[in-house]
Amino acid sequence: MNGTPETQIFEGPLTAARLSELGVTESELLTAVHAAELERRSCSPLEPSTAPGYKAWAAGFRTLAEQLLPRGWVKTETRGLPRLLNPETRVAIALVNGDDGTGCTSAGSGPRSKAPRGAQSALFVRSNQLQLSLFPERHEFRPLPDDVEQITWWLLMYSDGVDSVRAELSLPIGLGEDRRLSVWEERIILTVASLSMPVPRADEGEPPIELEIPVRARP
Amino acid sequence: MGTFSSSRLQLARERQRLLRKELAARCGVSAQTVSNWERAHTVPSTELVARIASVLSFPEDFFYRDELDRMPAGAASFRARSRIPSRHKHAALAAGDLARELAAWIEERFELPEVRLPALHGQGPELAAQVLRTEWLLGQRSVPNMIHLLESRGVLVFSLAQDCRAIDAFSFWSGSRPIVLLNTLKSAERSRIDAAHELFHLVAHSEETGKKEEEEAESFAGAFLMPADDILQQVPPVVSLPYFIQIKQRWGVSLPALVYRLHKLSRLTDWQYRSLFIEISKRGYRTSEPNSIPRERSALLAKVFISLRQQGIMPRQIANSVGWPIAQLQEFLFGLGATILSLDGGGSGASDKQRDHLRLV
């Protein structure tokens, strides 16, 4: 599904180093993912069926923006597609809901955006592809030649609505025939803490604290 | 029958949150007359005592008992005292005086746990919490039940009468017996924090408390209920409200209290703290606690009232013996025990409505 066998995958201990080259931390991305998930879960069944996806996307974007803007990133919006841009590294990040391949690295798997993308996404993806073919030494982002535009990464978020939330920050260089993001140059897998993590019982394994409260009627 | 007690008149009036002139109007006398009664310059006629008793909902007998040493205004630690209307403050202090009477009544009949509270004056809240945890062999473990913990150390815990909503809790010493009044209408989590807050006043403050002491007590409550090592170890690297909602049960604290404590321990950045708080407010969790714990009950009072029942002494007789209306006794026990105050055998005075109500306590 990921189409390009040479997709480079960063996960586990490699994730943090790769993200730091892009100027963002895993914690910042995960905070946005969690805010998105919280928003998704708070949607009422009485809302339109597109509300959870849309509101999660909007909340995730806002939460990421709130964290990155104080550090010099800027919000830009081109024809309805908002992105966060690091003017220094020229890394741009957009958000999108992914399918259940998001965050999975088993053979043959790869994420797709949940919905077909519009014209502006297609342009950014095309631009990614062009720039990476012009500058194959792409993994050294700093400093970029002045005439290079931004490289747009997508933060993909997936939730099964129960307890599994997965996310990755990935660099697409092509759309599938269904116009979904599906061809990846790089994928950086994030480790999302389970939202239904079992809570350890209070003082597991230790005897309960005995409190003596002696009360005796006086003769 | 003894002589009319001026101090008891004042107490009952303040307890019912009436001004002198309001009581006067209802008794058909002047405010000056009421003032004279309360200063023991004059004594009301028997007819007027009956009228007073009916207006204030206390039995006439109450006003002919021994004079009381009223608790001085500074004897109780009030939270956010400036925000509390003085009428409420007086009502709460009056409740404190009544609680002292009830405590004395119980102590005459029962041997209670020995008072074992260390003096920790002048210690910072964080250190005091650690010292207390060490001395009480709690280590880094969660406190299972704050009311039981206080009771095991000789503290008497009563419910703060229901009409004192503006007040979370307060505490004072009645002779050598520490007493805490808890507002049991607050959430179970809030009550645990209030109980720990009052514990700090009892071990660390002897004078009237101000803003600084209140802040210290609140910090202590956080540190005591959420020991730093345990909370830092349990909280995951990722900040998420749903996770906090699950894990807060470990410490039995409210969501805002957990978030506040994590920020204080620098585990949350200012930004995370702010956005979590906005989220908490937005979702209404400040007023309605998600994933809440069951209310803590009193073990000591349960033992006392069960023992009294076994001796054939029912709540109504207890109220008579203290000289109170039964409603007063109910208020002090409200929310502290499901069974201790069922009115079986309490006499015919309790209406069906009251009975239903009491089963819910």
Side-chain angles (χ1 to χ4, degrees):
Chain A
M1 181 61 78
N2 62 13
T4 47
E6 59 275 20
T7 298
Q8 198 171 356
I9 295 178
F10 296 84
E11 58 183 326
L14 301 175
T15 292
R18 184 65 184 119
L19 288 176
S20 94
E21 288 170 354
L22 304 181
V24 65
T25 68
E26 188 170 18
S27 157
E28 287 162 342
L29 296 171
L30 289 177
T31 302
V33 170
H34 275 83
E37 184 57 19
L38 191 62
E39 196 69 31
R40 189 193 311 276
R41 290 183 183 200
S42 71
C43 282
S44 151
L46 301 183
E47 292 180 60
S49 61
T50 50
Y54 174 78
K55 287 167 84 172
W57 171 76
F61 186 87
R62 191 195 74 204
T63 305
L64 192 57
E66 284 171 342
Q67 297 173 94
L68 298 185
L69 263 52
R71 297 209 285 103
W73 291 60
V74 291
K75 179 192 170 211
T76 113
E77 190 156 339
T78 320
R79 274 177 275 170
L81 184 69
R83 293 177 307 157
L84 293 160
L85 173 66
N86 184 331
E88 205 181 311
T89 60
R90 312 241 179 140
V91 167
I93 299 178
L95 267 68
V96 72
N97 289 304
D99 69 1
D100 62 3
T102 303
C104 289
T105 54
S106 50
S109 72
R112 294 187 312 163
S113 58
K114 206 170 162 192
R117 307 312 300 162
Q120 192 57 45
S121 291
L123 275 176
F124 284 139
V125 170
R126 177 83 187 126
S127 159
N128 281 351
Q129 190 190 23
L130 278 174
Q131 286 167 49
L132 294 174
S133 61
L134 287 173
F135 300 94
E137 71 288 11
R138 57 189 178 270
H139 296 308
E140 290 139 37
F141 274 98
R142 283 171 295 181
L144 282 175
D146 278 351
D147 56 343
V148 173
E149 297 285 329
Q150 308 104 24
I151 297 277
T152 303
W153 294 70
W154 263 266
L155 175 60
L156 289 109
M157 307 178 291
Y158 167 78
S159 164
D160 71 357
V162 186
D163 56 4
S164 183
V165 178
R166 298 193 292 274
E168 59 181 83
L169 184 67
S170 297
L171 178 58
I173 48 169
L175 298 176
E177 281 178 10
D178 54 6
R179 294 188 65 79
R180 298 176 193 221
L181 301 173
S182 56
V183 186
W184 307 98
E185 175 71 15
E186 260 189 65
R187 296 173 60 203
I188 307 173
I189 313 296
L190 309 179
T191 309
V192 185
S194 163
L195 289 176
S196 62
M197 210 182 279
V199 175
R201 288 177 59 81
D203 307 312
E204 212 168 330
E206 292 183 65
I209 293 171
E210 297 283 346
L211 295 173
E212 299 211 342
I213 306 170
V215 174
R216 257 198 316 277
R218 294 187 196 276
Chain B
M1 200 171 265
T3 51
F4 183 81
S5 159
S6 55
S7 60
R8 286 179 179 271
L9 170 63
Q10 189 185 22
L11 184 152
R13 174 180 64 74
E14 291 180 350
R15 181 71 204 84
Q16 306 296 18
R17 284 184 295 168
L18 288 181
L19 298 175
R20 284 198 188 94
K21 62 177 181 196
E22 289 164 343
L23 175 62
R26 294 193 201 180
C27 292
V29 299
S30 71
Q32 185 58 46
T33 305
V34 172
S35 178
N36 286 340
W37 294 338
E38 289 190 1
R39 294 196 176 115
H41 293 164
T42 56
V43 171
S45 66
T46 345
E47 293 75 35
L48 275 168
V49 173
R51 181 89 191 116
I52 291 166
S54 136
V55 168
L56 296 179
S57 303
F58 270 81
E60 286 177 47
D61 167 50
F62 175 80
F63 300 98
Y64 290 104
R65 294 182 169 232
D66 292 343
E67 289 284 355
L68 288 166
D69 269 337
R70 295 295 311 277
M71 202 157 48
S77 311
F78 286 111
R79 195 86 38 87
R81 69 174 39 236
S82 56
R83 283 191 291 120
I84 303 173
S86 72
R87 206 189 273 229
H88 289 263
K89 225 181 280 179
H90 286 305
L93 283 169
D97 282 321
L98 292 174
R100 291 197 306 169
E101 288 216 284
L102 182 57
W105 189 92
I106 292 172
E107 254 193 296
E108 255 174 51
R109 289 157 182 83
F110 291 91
E111 280 175 39
L112 299 180
E114 184 194 344
V115 179
R116 291 173 300 158
L117 293 179
L120 295 171
H121 297 90
Q123 311 272 19
E126 194 83 31
L127 180 60
Q130 281 182 35
V131 169
L132 216 49
R133 282 189 151 272
T134 308
E135 283 197 16
W136 291 358
L137 306 177
L138 290 167
Q140 294 285 312
R141 302 168 63 185
S142 311
V143 178
N145 181 319
M146 267 311 296
I147 294 180
H148 292 184
L149 183 67
L150 290 176
E151 290 178 338
S152 74
R153 296 275 147 183
V155 181
L156 274 175
V157 180
F158 294 115
S159 175
L160 186 56
Q162 296 176 56
D163 50 11
C164 297
R165 280 162 202 266
I167 295 165
D168 292 328
F170 71 102
S171 55
F172 52 91
W173 289 83
S174 175
S176 57
R177 181 65 66 183
I179 296 180
V180 168
L181 294 189
L182 275 186
N183 186 332
T184 50
L185 291 179
K186 309 274 168 176
S187 71
E189 288 82 359
R190 185 64 231 174
S191 281
R192 273 171 69 83
I193 293 168
D194 289 339
H197 179 116
E198 297 308 322
L199 170 61
F200 190 65
H201 285 316
L202 291 174
V203 297
H205 299 140
S206 46
E207 302 293 311
E208 185 166 348
T209 58
K211 192 163 181 280
K212 176 172 162 280
E213 286 77 15
E214 291 305 315
E215 283 171 4
E216 280 179 4
E218 200 63 4
S219 295
F220 170 88
F224 188 72
L225 291 173
M226 295 170 273
D229 292 5
D230 189 43
I231 200 172
L232 290 175
Q233 185 205 324
Q234 293 293 337
V235 170
V238 174
V239 167
S240 102
L241 212 50
Y243 186 80
F244 288 160
I245 289 172
Q246 279 187 32
I247 201 171
K248 72 190 175 69
Q249 283 209 342
R250 180 180 176 85
W251 302 284
V253 295
S254 65
L255 193 55
L258 175 61
V259 168
Y260 180 82
R261 175 84 176 130
L262 284 169
H263 179 238
K264 199 151 184 187
L265 291 169
S266 306
R267 177 57 192 77
L268 293 178
T269 63
D270 288 349
W271 180 84
Q272 289 172 319
Y273 175 65
R274 218 171 33 240
S275 39
L276 280 169
F277 245 102
I278 292 169
E279 208 58 45
I280 288 170
S281 299
K282 203 168 108 185
R283 294 178 193 282
Y285 293 157
R286 280 172 67 80
T287 44
S288 150
E289 189 65 40
N291 192 22
S292 59
I293 56 170
R295 169 156 294 289
E296 295 183 346
R297 312 282 186 188
S298 158
L300 190 153
L301 294 176
K303 286 183 179 182
V304 164
F305 281 83
I306 288 168
S307 168
L308 286 168
R309 170 159 313 172
Q310 283 164 353
Q311 298 169 43
I313 304 171
M314 295 300 165
R316 181 161 301 279
Q317 292 157 274
I318 301 165
N320 287 343
S321 171
V322 204
W324 296 355
I326 184 120
Q328 283 296 330
L329 184 61
Q330 288 162 4
E331 291 212 351
F332 278 103
L333 308 178
F334 181 85
L336 288 176
T339 55
I340 50 179
L341 202 62
S342 75
L343 279 178
D344 299 351
S348 56
S351 66
D352 288 346
K353 196 177 166 205
Q354 257 177 318
R355 284 168 191 269
D356 289 347
H357 174 63
L358 284 167
R359 297 231 165 74
L360 296 174
V361 300

